[in-house]
Amino acid sequence: MRFIPALLAALLAAGVGSAAFADTTDVKTQTIVEVKKKGPHCEQDPNCFNRYHPAIKPVAKAKPGDLIKVHTRDALDSNLNINSKPKDVTAVDVNLIHPMTGPIHIEGAKRGDVVAIKLIDIVPNEYGYTTIIPGFGFLPDMYTEPFIANWKRSEEH
């Protein structure tokens, strides 16, 4: 970098005998609240729930302005993988779907408040899928055969 030697030369020319530069790389200005997945499925994970209810206790607390990092599960909380076939879809227990990580208590927020969030980033998993589960979904009468499309994320170039 040419800026620092030029700055140092300017300081020395101005009569400053030595210069000290602060290293602030380890200074943190934002608290990070991270909630990770635990266990293979939501039912074994104390940080997971699949229905909203006021009796569910928060698994973490955050203050306004904190950065909240949440590790989530797939929508079916399943064992599906890149080699899954349509017959594997029929084994999904649709009573256990919709896993959510949390809840997270926001200090100062009260029941009924609207909490504004700013989504910073979403990092997708390497594997994803699209399914048709017989008897489930928006058009269960029209789509009666199981189906799965397995997706593998490719790296951007």
Side-chain angles (χ1 to χ4, degrees):
M1 277 178 40
R2 294 183 182 190
F3 175 74
I4 291 180
L7 177 60
L8 183 56
L11 288 170
L12 291 171
V16 177
S18 65
F21 295 97
D23 176 8
T24 59
T25 56
D26 62 342
V27 176
K28 305 297 180 207
T29 61
Q30 190 170 42
T31 300
I32 299 173
V33 176
E34 188 168 11
V35 183
K36 296 183 177 183
K37 295 185 284 188
K38 297 178 181 177
H41 294 284
C42 186
E43 62 187 354
Q44 294 94 24
D45 186 347
N47 293 337
C48 187
F49 67 110
N50 76 346
R51 302 285 188 274
Y52 285 111
H53 191 277
I56 299 173
K57 302 293 182 203
V59 298
K61 290 185 177 190
K63 296 177 183 167
D66 286 353
L67 178 67
I68 302 171
K69 187 175 185 179
V70 179
H71 299 259
T72 61
R73 297 178 177 279
D74 71 73
L76 299 178
D77 198 26
S78 69
N79 288 327
L80 297 174
N81 61 60
I82 195 71
N83 298 312
S84 291
K85 307 286 185 224
K87 66 179 177 71
D88 300 324
V89 172
T90 60
V92 172
D93 184 349
V94 294
N95 293 311
L96 300 177
I97 67 167
H98 199 250
M100 296 177 278
T101 305
I104 300 168
H105 173 83
I106 306 299
E107 289 186 22
K110 297 179 210 75
R111 185 175 295 179
D113 284 353
V114 175
V115 178
I117 63 165
K118 181 178 180 182
L119 188 60
I120 305 295
D121 196 9
I122 296 175
V123 180
N125 290 332
E126 180 182 323
Y127 167 70
Y129 55 83
T130 303
T131 63
I132 294 176
I133 302 172
F136 183 76
F138 294 112
L139 301 169
D141 298 340
M142 292 182 66
Y143 298 98
T144 58
E145 296 298 316
F147 173 81
I148 186 167
N150 292 299
W151 305 95
K152 182 178 176 185
R153 183 185 73 199
S154 62
E155 295 297 322
E156 293 182 30
H157 298 283

